[in-house]
Every structure is written in structure tokens, then in C-alpha cells.
Amino acid sequence: MRRNTVAGNWKMNTNREEGNKLSSEIINMAGSELNSEVDLILIPPFTHAFEVQKLATGNKNIYVGAQNCHFEDSGAFTGEVSPIMLKGINLSHVVLGHSERREIFNESNETIKKKVDAVLKHNLTPIFCCGEPLGIREKGTQNAYVSSQIEESLFHLSKLDFEKIIIAYEPIWAIGTGLTASPLQAQEMHREIRSMIAKKYGTETAQNISILYGGSVKPDNAKELFACEDVDGGLVGGASLKSRGFVDIAKSF
């Protein structure tokens, strides 16, 4: 079901104490200020995800996710974390295919496809990231670029499994740069993604998938972005590290 959602990706930031403080502040503010139509997802580093999850337990519409995972349940994969480990500490969501994983760690569409399958197998919700670099945007081929990411990593899924996914469109040129896609640019790509889904799985499925915008979302631009017809919220990076700003973003619907 399509939901208004704001997910905070903390990336490699905060230690245990800082993460607990940030989570507590967000949870306390959200409890008194947010309506039931908005879901919040906190996505801390692995080292304190368990404690953040405990803090969030019992708070309606507040979830805790992971920033990545491996596609195997166990094995000789030093430094990796499996979906079954995430399930074991009651996490609910996993970010997959983030641009930093694609660009810095060379994750391919095929690798992300395997991760999507593994996450769904353990009844976790993938937050599937897609988006184009600046060179692709300047050539005007962003639709084909994003289409290939989605087709190669998601379109093997059954309709039932596809409907369990959240998609996050993140123009790579607008991540951590201070640049932001205009509301028109964001809406155009979100509409295009929904159109791709409709052609594959039907209009009803396309209309029920939440598609988030990720790319320098801040309190001062969230309202205009979230007002777009096909934008259902945000995957927030740096602004999610400030409790007041993050909750203000979630109040922008």
C-alpha cells in the first residue's frame, strides 16, 4: 500500500551514544507531532541498529532498517551482514543499491537483484535505490538509465513480491552536493518510474508503490517536493542527522 514515508539514512555517521540520543529525540518528537499517515524509517549504522530498534519498539509507524546486506544467509564473507542477521534483531527494512554502494563498492544490477531476492526471502522490505549520474542527465538519457536499473534488478519478481518494495529515486548529482532536482524534475522521473511499473505489473500495482525522492532533501525544500503527485516522501541523508530538521521534513506532507 502506498504510504507517505520519510527514511533517514545516517550513512557512516554517529557513534552508539550519539545514535541513541538522535533516535530518542526523533521518536519523542514524532510521537507528539506526526500524524498516522506518515511512516518514519531510521537507518543507523550496523553497530547500533539493535539499540535503535529497541528504542523504536512500540512506537506506531516508526521502523528501523539497515543500510545494506549480503545476499547469502551465512558463510565466509568477512565483514558482511546477512538478511537473517538483520531479521534476528527485528529490523524491518534494508536499503539496497544506494548510489554509494554502486559507485564506491562497484555493486552491479545483478548483485543488487540477488540482494533483493535475499531480503524478500526473509520478509524484510527492500528500499531499492535508482538514479542517474550528472553525465547521463546532461545527455538526456536518464529515463533509459533508470529503466535499466529497475528492469535488471526488479522485473524478475512476481507481482506479489514486487508490491512489497519501496523505490527511492536518487539523482546522483544531487547527493551531498547541495544541488537538488527541481520539483518538476523529481515529478517527471517519479511519473516515469510509475509508468514503467504500470507497463510491467499493471496500473493498480504502480499506483500502490511508494516512490521516495532522495537527493539533498531538507526542511526548506521538502514541502514542495512532497507536493508532487508521484513523490511519496524522501530518503534523507545529511538532514536526518538533526532530529528537529528530520521531523520537520516528515511534517511536510
Side-chain angles (χ1 to χ4, degrees):
M1 179 61 68
R2 190 169 167 182
R3 295 275 300 171
N4 292 330
T5 302
V6 176
N9 177 18
W10 299 1
K11 305 188 180 184
M12 198 175 71
N13 294 293
T14 74
N15 60 30
R16 173 176 168 269
E17 182 180 353
E18 292 166 342
N20 288 346
K21 180 176 183 290
L22 176 59
S23 300
S24 296
E25 290 173 353
I26 291 171
I27 290 165
N28 289 337
M29 281 189 274
S32 60
E33 298 180 29
L34 292 186
N35 63 53
S36 61
E37 302 303 312
V38 180
D39 290 339
L40 283 187
I41 308 171
L42 308 181
I43 310 171
F46 289 129
T47 50
H48 34 292
F50 179 56
E51 292 186 71
V52 173
Q53 196 282 328
K54 287 197 294 183
L55 290 170
T57 298
N59 292 275
K60 189 176 181 183
N61 301 332
I62 299 181
Y63 305 90
V64 180
Q67 297 178 18
N68 183 41
C69 72
H70 199 272
F71 49 77
E72 297 286 359
D73 288 350
S74 62
F77 304 103
T78 300
E80 291 289 340
V81 175
S82 75
I84 203 167
M85 294 172 181
L86 303 178
K87 189 73 173 178
I89 60 170
N90 298 314
L91 301 193
S92 55
H93 296 71
V94 187
V95 176
L96 299 174
H98 191 279
S99 61
E100 291 158 5
R101 298 298 311 178
R102 293 177 186 269
E103 294 203 314
I104 300 171
F105 299 98
N106 301 313
E107 290 192 1
S108 66
N109 290 338
E110 178 61 26
T111 297
I112 297 162
K113 172 183 176 181
K114 290 159 72 173
K115 291 186 176 191
V116 168
D117 290 344
V119 164
L120 288 171
K121 183 177 77 171
H122 292 290
N123 298 312
L124 296 160
T125 300
I127 301 175
F128 175 83
C129 300
C130 55
E132 80 283 358
L134 182 60
I136 295 294
R137 168 64 66 165
E138 289 176 337
K139 288 193 291 187
T141 56
Q142 64 270 11
N143 289 0
Y145 188 90
V146 171
S147 178
S148 68
Q149 291 177 321
I150 292 173
E151 289 176 3
E152 293 176 22
S153 296
L154 298 181
F155 276 7
H156 67 290
L157 295 172
S158 68
K159 182 177 179 180
L160 182 63
D161 277 342
F162 187 88
E163 290 173 345
K164 299 173 184 176
I165 287 175
I166 294 172
I167 292 176
Y169 166 62
E170 41 166 23
I172 297 170
W173 46 272
I175 299 175
T177 63
L179 299 174
T180 308
S182 69
L184 177 60
Q185 288 172 317
Q187 168 57 22
E188 284 177 344
M189 182 57 79
H190 281 236
R191 183 179 59 212
E192 178 66 21
I193 292 170
R194 218 175 285 285
S195 176
M196 296 175 204
I197 297 167
K199 290 174 184 175
K200 173 70 176 179
Y201 293 104
T203 301
E204 183 177 1
T205 294
Q207 289 302 317
N208 283 329
I209 291 288
S210 292
I211 306 177
L212 314 182
Y213 170 78
S216 298
V217 179
K218 302 181 185 70
D220 60 2
N221 63 25
K223 192 173 186 66
E224 192 174 12
L225 287 165
F226 295 174
C228 297
E229 181 181 355
D230 289 298
V231 177
D232 302 309
L235 177 60
V236 184
S240 69
L241 298 173
K242 302 290 185 182
S243 56
R244 177 71 269 166
F246 184 63
V247 173
D248 284 345
I249 288 171
K251 292 169 67 177
S252 297
F253 291 98

